Amino acid sequence: MVLQAMAAATLLHEAQGLLGRLDRVRPFALSVPMVSAAGAPQAHGAIEHYVAEGRRQLRGMIQAYIRWLGGPLGRLVPPAEMNRRFVFLRMRFNALLSDFDIFADVLTQRSEHGLGVLLAGLDAFAADALAIPGAFYKSPPVICYLDRGPGAAIRRARTRLPGGRENPVAIIRVPRERMVGSGIASSLVHEVGHQAANMLDLVASLKIILKGLQRTGGTMRLAWTLWERWISEIVADLWSVAMVGISSSLGLMGVVSLPRSFVFRVALNDPHPVPWIRVKLSCAMGRALYPDPQWDSVAKVWEAFYPTTGLEAAGRRLLAILESTIPSFVDILVNHRPKLLRGNSLKEALPVNERQPAQLRRLWQVWREEAAHMQRARPALVFAVLGQAKVDGLLEADRESRMVGEFLNHWALTRGLHALIPCEKRS
């Protein structure tokens, strides 16, 4: 009995210590300073609610354990059972801290001078790129942060966090090397495309079609097998091309411009297409949505950067097989009619009409004379126009960077002021 009492006392002390440490997990609103324009009200609110609910649930579990430990049932069980239950609580506590750290990485950057406002501008851009006409889904809050590395990434909303609960927001990691220029549009909207594809169930519905095409046999079977394997990344690329036009393909070229061995490498465990074929596919998707000679020109530049001469015969054959199926594959993609689009194809549901190259060129001419029109436009459309001007040779790099920075600040400020105005005042 002395051993049991000592074990209970030890675990009681540890459980009370957990409660004390739990009280130190404070709301971000009390610990992360930021200017109003750097805020993300909807996402921030969802995060605070998530963390507060996690704290409430865990506190209740710890208090219940303390009561059990001191009650008649707790005094009867062996020390191993007392410890087993406590270890479970400690694991839940560590999982809550893991969730907290994920959100802390996102929110603490908001306090950095200048950077926080730029991130809020990216939030506004990402939210716009996720929204399409038709109310096919309810968009979750989106929040961005910067990190090292060449590529972006997303932790989608409504997926499980380490703590086991559902993520309340879409968290997009943006590579620092993409700040600040129109190239960031490609990376950001690609990640947004992953969230949209999840909400429209695009990957699963397209996989069914691609699996059916694998029954053709022969060399074509290999092509359709690879397209199916890569479909999640391809759908995200399609979303990016549809939202920001030629900016997407140019930005993609910047991300996958690597040493030749990487550009032509086929990694069967990688969900991303072979970089060389991925850029060619991006141009083909752009050509299907926005017919214009520019797509062929960009594809030829890519081929000039990475000529296939010198590749082994097997590698050239694989690229040729994949390239031969691109037209049919793109036709399947843009005309796909998932159930959640209620009869609309992707091409019909996405804002393709206002992003035709001729329209983007007209907007650039108008906006160049009157920048205020540009500030009132949707962020994704602005990046589409900037990318078009860039490929047309009408936008210098330094001016591009300056304009993107100004627009991100403007969108952040506009969004921040909108959140501060009471609803009755807005109406």
Coordinates of all heavy atoms in Angstrom, one line a residue, residues 144-187:
C144 N -1.3 32.7 -44.6 CA 0.0 32.4 -45.2 C 1.1 32.7 -44.2 O 1.0 33.6 -43.3 CB 0.2 33.2 -46.5 SG -1.1 33.0 -47.7
Y145 N 2.2 32.1 -44.4 CA 3.5 32.4 -43.7 C 4.7 32.1 -44.6 O 4.5 31.3 -45.6 CB 3.6 31.7 -42.4 CG 3.9 30.3 -42.4 CD1 5.2 29.8 -42.1 CD2 3.0 29.3 -42.8 CE1 5.5 28.4 -42.1 CE2 3.3 28.0 -42.9 CZ 4.5 27.5 -42.5 OH 4.9 26.2 -42.5
L146 N 5.8 32.6 -44.3 CA 7.0 32.4 -45.1 C 7.9 31.3 -44.5 O 8.0 31.2 -43.3 CB 7.8 33.7 -45.3 CG 7.1 34.8 -46.0 CD1 8.2 36.0 -46.2 CD2 6.5 34.4 -47.3
D147 N 8.6 30.6 -45.3 CA 9.6 29.6 -44.8 C 10.7 29.5 -45.9 O 10.5 29.9 -47.1 CB 9.0 28.3 -44.5 CG 9.7 27.5 -43.5 OD1 10.9 27.9 -43.2 OD2 9.2 26.5 -42.9
R148 N 11.8 28.8 -45.6 CA 12.8 28.6 -46.6 C 12.4 27.4 -47.5 O 11.5 26.7 -47.3 CB 14.1 28.2 -45.9 CG 14.1 26.9 -45.1 CD 15.4 26.7 -44.3 NE 15.4 25.4 -43.6 CZ 14.9 25.3 -42.4 NH1 14.3 26.3 -41.8 NH2 14.9 24.1 -41.8
G149 N 13.2 27.3 -48.6 CA 12.9 26.3 -49.6 C 12.4 26.8 -50.8 O 11.8 27.9 -50.9
P150 N 12.5 26.1 -51.9 CA 12.1 26.6 -53.2 C 10.6 26.5 -53.5 O 10.1 27.2 -54.4 CB 12.9 25.7 -54.2 CG 13.0 24.4 -53.5 CD 13.2 24.8 -52.0
G151 N 9.9 25.6 -52.8 CA 8.5 25.4 -53.1 C 7.6 25.8 -52.0 O 8.0 25.9 -50.9
A152 N 6.3 25.9 -52.4 CA 5.3 26.2 -51.4 C 4.6 24.9 -50.9 O 4.9 23.9 -51.4 CB 4.2 27.2 -52.0
A153 N 3.8 25.0 -49.9 CA 3.1 23.8 -49.4 C 1.8 24.3 -48.7 O 1.7 25.5 -48.3 CB 4.0 23.0 -48.4
I154 N 0.9 23.4 -48.5 CA -0.4 23.7 -47.8 C -0.7 22.6 -46.8 O -0.5 21.5 -47.0 CB -1.5 23.9 -48.8 CG1 -2.8 24.4 -48.1 CG2 -1.8 22.6 -49.6 CD1 -3.9 24.8 -49.0
R155 N -1.2 23.1 -45.7 CA -1.8 22.2 -44.7 C -3.3 22.5 -44.8 O -3.8 23.5 -44.3 CB -1.3 22.4 -43.3 CG -1.8 21.4 -42.3 CD -1.3 21.8 -40.9 NE 0.1 21.5 -40.7 CZ 0.6 20.4 -40.3 NH1 -0.2 19.3 -40.0 NH2 1.9 20.2 -40.2
R156 N -4.0 21.6 -45.6 CA -5.4 21.9 -45.9 C -6.3 22.0 -44.7 O -6.1 21.4 -43.7 CB -5.9 20.9 -46.9 CG -5.2 20.8 -48.2 CD -6.1 20.0 -49.2 NE -6.6 18.8 -48.7 CZ -6.1 17.6 -48.7 NH1 -4.9 17.5 -49.3 NH2 -6.7 16.5 -48.2
A157 N -7.3 22.9 -44.9 CA -8.4 23.0 -43.9 C -9.1 21.6 -43.9 O -9.2 21.0 -44.9 CB -9.3 24.1 -44.2
R158 N -9.7 21.3 -42.8 CA -10.5 20.1 -42.6 C -9.7 18.8 -42.7 O -10.3 17.7 -42.9 CB -11.7 20.1 -43.6 CG -12.6 21.3 -43.4 CD -13.4 21.6 -44.6 NE -14.0 23.0 -44.6 CZ -14.6 23.6 -45.6 NH1 -14.7 23.0 -46.7 NH2 -15.0 24.8 -45.4
T159 N -8.4 18.9 -42.6 CA -7.6 17.6 -42.5 C -7.2 17.6 -41.0 O -7.3 18.5 -40.2 CB -6.3 17.7 -43.4 OG1 -5.6 18.9 -43.1 CG2 -6.7 17.7 -44.8
R160 N -6.6 16.4 -40.6 CA -6.3 16.2 -39.2 C -5.0 16.8 -38.8 O -4.0 16.7 -39.5 CB -6.3 14.7 -38.9 CG -7.6 14.0 -39.0 CD -8.6 14.5 -38.0 NE -10.0 13.9 -38.2 CZ -11.1 14.2 -37.6 NH1 -11.0 15.1 -36.6 NH2 -12.2 13.7 -37.9
L161 N -5.0 17.5 -37.7 CA -3.7 18.1 -37.1 C -3.1 17.0 -36.2 O -3.8 16.0 -35.9 CB -4.0 19.3 -36.4 CG -4.3 20.6 -37.2 CD1 -4.8 21.7 -36.4 CD2 -3.1 21.0 -38.1
P162 N -1.9 17.2 -35.7 CA -1.3 16.2 -34.9 C -2.1 15.8 -33.6 O -2.1 14.7 -33.2 CB 0.1 16.9 -34.4 CG 0.4 17.7 -35.6 CD -0.9 18.3 -36.1
G163 N -2.9 16.8 -33.1 CA -3.7 16.5 -32.0 C -4.9 15.7 -32.3 O -5.7 15.3 -31.4
G164 N -5.2 15.4 -33.6 CA -6.3 14.5 -33.9 C -7.5 15.3 -34.3 O -8.5 14.6 -34.9
R165 N -7.6 16.6 -34.1 CA -8.8 17.3 -34.5 C -8.6 18.0 -35.8 O -7.5 18.0 -36.4 CB -9.1 18.4 -33.4 CG -9.5 17.8 -32.1 CD -10.0 18.9 -31.1 NE -8.9 19.8 -30.7 CZ -9.1 21.1 -30.6 NH1 -10.3 21.7 -30.8 NH2 -8.1 21.9 -30.2
E166 N -9.7 18.4 -36.4 CA -9.8 19.0 -37.7 C -9.2 20.4 -37.8 O -9.6 21.2 -37.0 CB -11.2 19.0 -38.2 CG -11.4 19.0 -39.7 CD -12.8 18.9 -40.1 OE1 -13.6 19.9 -40.0 OE2 -13.2 17.8 -40.6
N167 N -8.3 20.6 -38.7 CA -7.7 21.9 -38.9 C -8.8 22.9 -39.3 O -9.5 22.7 -40.3 CB -6.6 21.8 -40.0 CG -5.9 23.1 -40.2 OD1 -6.0 24.0 -39.4 ND2 -5.1 23.1 -41.3
P168 N -8.9 24.0 -38.6 CA -10.0 25.0 -38.9 C -9.6 26.0 -40.1 O -10.5 26.7 -40.6 CB -10.1 25.8 -37.6 CG -8.8 25.8 -37.0 CD -8.2 24.4 -37.4
V169 N -8.4 26.0 -40.5 CA -7.9 27.0 -41.5 C -7.0 26.3 -42.5 O -6.4 25.3 -42.2 CB -7.2 28.2 -40.9 CG1 -8.1 28.9 -40.0 CG2 -5.9 27.8 -40.2
A170 N -6.9 26.9 -43.7 CA -5.9 26.4 -44.7 C -4.7 27.2 -44.4 O -4.7 28.5 -44.5 CB -6.4 26.6 -46.1
I171 N -3.5 26.6 -44.2 CA -2.3 27.2 -43.9 C -1.3 27.0 -45.1 O -1.0 25.9 -45.4 CB -1.6 26.6 -42.6 CG1 -2.6 26.8 -41.4 CG2 -0.3 27.3 -42.3 CD1 -2.1 26.1 -40.2
I172 N -0.9 28.1 -45.7 CA -0.1 28.0 -46.9 C 1.3 28.6 -46.5 O 1.5 29.7 -46.1 CB -0.7 28.8 -48.1 CG1 -2.0 28.2 -48.4 CG2 0.3 28.8 -49.3 CD1 -2.7 29.0 -49.6
R173 N 2.3 27.7 -46.8 CA 3.7 28.1 -46.6 C 4.2 28.6 -47.9 O 4.2 27.9 -48.9 CB 4.5 26.9 -46.1 CG 6.0 27.2 -45.8 CD 6.8 26.0 -45.6 NE 7.0 25.3 -46.9 CZ 7.3 24.0 -47.0 NH1 7.3 23.2 -45.9 NH2 7.6 23.5 -48.2
V174 N 4.7 29.8 -47.9 CA 5.2 30.5 -49.1 C 6.7 30.5 -49.0 O 7.3 30.9 -48.0 CB 4.6 31.9 -49.2 CG1 5.1 32.6 -50.5 CG2 3.1 31.8 -49.3
P175 N 7.5 30.2 -50.1 CA 8.9 30.3 -50.1 C 9.4 31.7 -50.0 O 8.9 32.6 -50.8 CB 9.4 29.6 -51.4 CG 8.2 29.6 -52.3 CD 7.0 29.6 -51.4
R176 N 10.3 32.0 -49.2 CA 10.9 33.4 -49.0 C 11.5 33.9 -50.3 O 11.4 35.1 -50.7 CB 11.9 33.4 -47.9 CG 11.4 33.4 -46.5 CD 12.5 33.6 -45.5 NE 12.0 33.5 -44.1 CZ 11.5 34.5 -43.5 NH1 11.4 35.7 -44.0 NH2 11.0 34.3 -42.2
E177 N 12.1 33.0 -51.1 CA 12.7 33.4 -52.3 C 11.8 33.9 -53.4 O 12.2 34.5 -54.4 CB 13.6 32.3 -52.9 CG 12.9 31.0 -53.3 CD 12.7 31.0 -54.8 OE1 13.2 31.9 -55.5 OE2 11.9 30.2 -55.3
R178 N 10.5 33.7 -53.2 CA 9.5 34.1 -54.2 C 9.0 35.5 -53.8 O 8.2 36.1 -54.6 CB 8.2 33.2 -54.2 CG 8.6 31.7 -54.4 CD 9.2 31.5 -55.8 NE 8.2 31.3 -56.8 CZ 8.5 31.2 -58.1 NH1 9.7 31.2 -58.5 NH2 7.5 31.0 -59.0
M179 N 9.4 36.1 -52.7 CA 8.9 37.4 -52.3 C 9.9 38.4 -52.8 O 11.1 38.3 -52.5 CB 8.8 37.5 -50.8 CG 7.7 36.6 -50.2 SD 6.0 37.2 -50.6 CE 5.9 38.6 -49.4
V180 N 9.6 39.5 -53.4 CA 8.2 39.8 -53.8 C 8.3 40.0 -55.4 O 9.1 40.7 -55.9 CB 7.8 41.2 -53.2 CG1 6.4 41.5 -53.7 CG2 7.7 41.1 -51.7
G181 N 7.4 39.3 -56.1 CA 7.3 39.4 -57.5 C 6.1 38.6 -58.0 O 5.4 37.9 -57.2
S182 N 5.7 38.8 -59.2 CA 4.5 38.1 -59.7 C 4.7 36.6 -59.7 O 3.7 35.8 -59.7 CB 4.1 38.5 -61.1 OG 5.2 38.2 -62.1
G183 N 5.9 36.1 -59.6 CA 6.2 34.6 -59.6 C 5.5 34.0 -58.4 O 5.3 32.8 -58.4
I184 N 5.3 34.7 -57.3 CA 4.7 34.2 -56.1 C 3.3 33.7 -56.4 O 2.7 32.8 -55.7 CB 4.7 35.2 -55.0 CG1 4.5 34.5 -53.6 CG2 3.6 36.2 -55.2 CD1 4.7 35.4 -52.5
A185 N 2.6 34.2 -57.4 CA 1.3 33.9 -57.8 C 1.2 32.4 -58.1 O 0.2 31.7 -57.8 CB 0.7 34.7 -58.9
S186 N 2.2 31.9 -58.9 CA 2.1 30.5 -59.3 C 2.2 29.6 -58.1 O 1.4 28.6 -58.0 CB 3.3 30.2 -60.3 OG 3.4 28.9 -60.6
S187 N 3.1 29.8 -57.2 CA 3.2 28.9 -56.1 C 2.0 29.0 -55.2 O 1.5 28.0 -54.7 CB 4.5 29.3 -55.3 OG 5.7 29.1 -56.1

